[in-house]
Amino acid sequence: MHFDLTDLRLFVLVAEEANLTRAAARQHLSLAAASARIKALEAQSGLPLLYREARGVRLTPPGEAFLHHARGVLRQADQLRRDLHDYGGGLRGHVRVFANTTAVTDFLPEVLPGFLAANPRVNVDLQEKPNAEIARGVLDGRADIGIVAGAIDQLGLQAIHFSTDRLVLVTPRGHRFARRKRIAFADTLAEDMVGMHHGSTLQSFLELQAEKLGKPMKLRIQLGSFDAMCRMVSGGVGVAIVPESAAGRNLAAMKLAQIELTDEWRVRERYILVRDAELLPAYAKSLIDTVCGHFRGGAKPSTVD
């Protein structure tokens, strides 16, 4: 098929508006010109892309498929435009990373400063996403690298294991659970809880586990970082479930107790997801090496040759 970006933008607008006249106006085209472009797309595909109805239009099944790919092409074109603009300013590389809550808030803030200092001509676009969306984002090209934890559908992507994450319960030292060595998640649900912000990967996961047990979490407050959660626990607001690494760096300073969870899901393997590691640019491979090195004895940040 032969089409240009104007055709794709027009088709996306038609889908959004369900009306060719409004879509043409938004694209600054006459109705006749817009109609001709859509008909040309249908002629080239050999399939009807729209149902024409009295009050507008709606997508046919082939039209739904065309819309999905049109949006993908437009995203890629926009990213290309941004990247070329950055390269024009002397930038060598741009890495798009989708990562879960723990990665974004707990260890990437330790890893990225060294990497960026060692690679001053590389930018990193880091976005927090749910695990399932991370895999989809890598698969459809919205992200170059994904960082996930736990048992998820990896959608056939290449998975690079780089560490093991354990979830633990933290309480004030005077709490009734503080002297216990182990506890089941179910036994914590009667307590006031300190949680991560709504929509975070970990918080969504814990709420799902509570729902399976038929006992909702009693959330007193939700915050944006594990260190802030630990401070709230230290202040007596409630108990919290956090990664072991976050608990470890706050136990002494905040006078907290750490209790191991007995649930099997407490152990979460961490993976970097990519479409094809061999096809990644050198600076993206460098970032992967830096993350892996951080958990294999604190290797120096990897640089681009």
Side-chain angles (χ1 to χ4, degrees), residues 5-20:
L5 294 182
T6 300
D7 292 333
L8 299 185
R9 292 192 184 96
L10 173 62
F11 192 83
V12 171
L13 291 175
V14 170
E16 291 175 354
E17 295 286 352
N19 183 283
L20 188 57

Side-chain angles (χ1 to χ4, degrees), residues 223-246:
L223 302 162
S225 76
F226 296 119
D227 292 341
M229 290 170 64
C230 288
R231 285 196 292 273
M232 286 292 172
V233 172
S234 177
V237 174
V239 302
I241 292 175
V242 299
E244 189 174 30
S245 56

Side-chain angles (χ1 to χ4, degrees), residues 2-300:
H2 301 283
F3 49 77
D4 58 28
L5 294 182
T6 300
D7 292 333
L8 299 185
R9 292 192 184 96
L10 173 62
F11 192 83
V12 171
L13 291 175
V14 170
E16 291 175 354
E17 295 286 352
N19 183 283
L20 188 57
T21 301
R22 290 197 295 269
R26 286 181 59 184
Q27 190 66 21
H28 306 293
L29 294 171
S30 69
L31 178 58
S35 181
R37 283 178 176 270
I38 297 297
K39 287 178 180 178
L41 290 177
E42 291 179 312
Q44 291 182 63
S45 69
L47 295 165
L49 301 178
L50 299 173
Y51 293 119
R52 274 79 171 174
E53 299 175 337
R55 296 186 177 180
V57 297
R58 60 187 176 91
L59 299 178
T60 64
E64 294 281 1
F66 190 91
L67 175 65
H68 170 76
H69 290 289
R71 283 174 168 159
V73 171
L74 291 173
R75 280 196 300 268
Q76 292 282 346
D78 288 341
Q79 185 63 52
L80 173 62
R81 189 179 297 107
R82 289 193 295 269
D83 286 354
L84 290 177
H85 179 270
D86 289 340
Y87 283 119
L91 188 71
R92 177 183 293 173
H94 188 102
V95 189
R96 296 163 298 162
V97 182
F98 283 5
N100 65 1
T101 304
T102 304
V104 170
T105 63
D106 199 49
F107 66 84
L108 285 178
E110 297 179 15
V111 173
L112 289 178
F115 171 80
L116 292 170
N119 297 276
R121 294 174 63 190
V122 176
N123 281 354
V124 176
D125 176 8
L126 174 62
Q127 297 183 40
E128 181 182 342
K129 300 285 185 181
N131 275 322
E133 188 174 341
I134 293 168
R136 287 195 299 271
V138 175
L139 185 65
D140 67 20
R142 287 178 291 136
D144 304 300
I145 295 170
I147 300 177
V148 298
I152 69 160
D153 184 352
Q154 297 175 353
L155 303 179
L157 297 165
Q158 291 184 8
I160 303 166
H161 180 267
F162 66 92
S163 74
T164 299
D165 176 28
R166 291 179 177 81
L167 298 175
V168 299
L169 179 74
V170 290
T171 73
R173 288 182 183 173
H175 193 275
R176 64 191 181 95
F177 291 156
R179 294 186 180 182
R180 297 179 63 166
K181 292 185 177 180
R182 307 183 77 203
I183 192 170
F185 177 60
D187 294 337
T188 71
L189 293 175
E191 302 294 309
D192 289 335
M193 301 286 287
V194 176
M196 279 296 285
H197 61 85
H198 178 71
S200 72
T201 307
L202 178 58
Q203 190 59 41
S204 297
F205 174 79
L206 292 175
E207 288 174 359
L208 176 61
Q209 301 310 311
E211 183 179 324
K212 290 179 180 178
L213 295 168
K215 300 177 181 178
M217 298 177 71
K218 296 172 60 179
L219 290 166
R220 291 290 311 282
I221 189 170
Q222 293 178 260
L223 302 162
S225 76
F226 296 119
D227 292 341
M229 290 170 64
C230 288
R231 285 196 292 273
M232 286 292 172
V233 172
S234 177
V237 174
V239 302
I241 292 175
V242 299
E244 189 174 30
S245 56
R249 65 174 175 262
N250 289 299
L251 287 179
M254 299 186 187
K255 299 181 180 179
L256 300 174
Q258 174 180 314
I259 303 96
E260 181 181 352
L261 292 171
T262 60
D263 305 81
E264 289 187 3
W265 48 255
R266 73 188 185 281
V267 179
R268 306 193 303 166
E269 302 301 333
R270 290 168 169 166
Y271 296 92
I272 292 171
L273 301 181
V274 296
R275 292 183 297 283
D276 187 336
E278 292 302 315
L279 297 180
L280 288 173
Y283 50 82
K285 293 178 182 178
S286 175
L287 178 56
I288 292 174
D289 290 343
T290 300
V291 172
C292 293
H294 178 77
F295 290 95
R296 293 175 185 164
K300 292 182 179 180

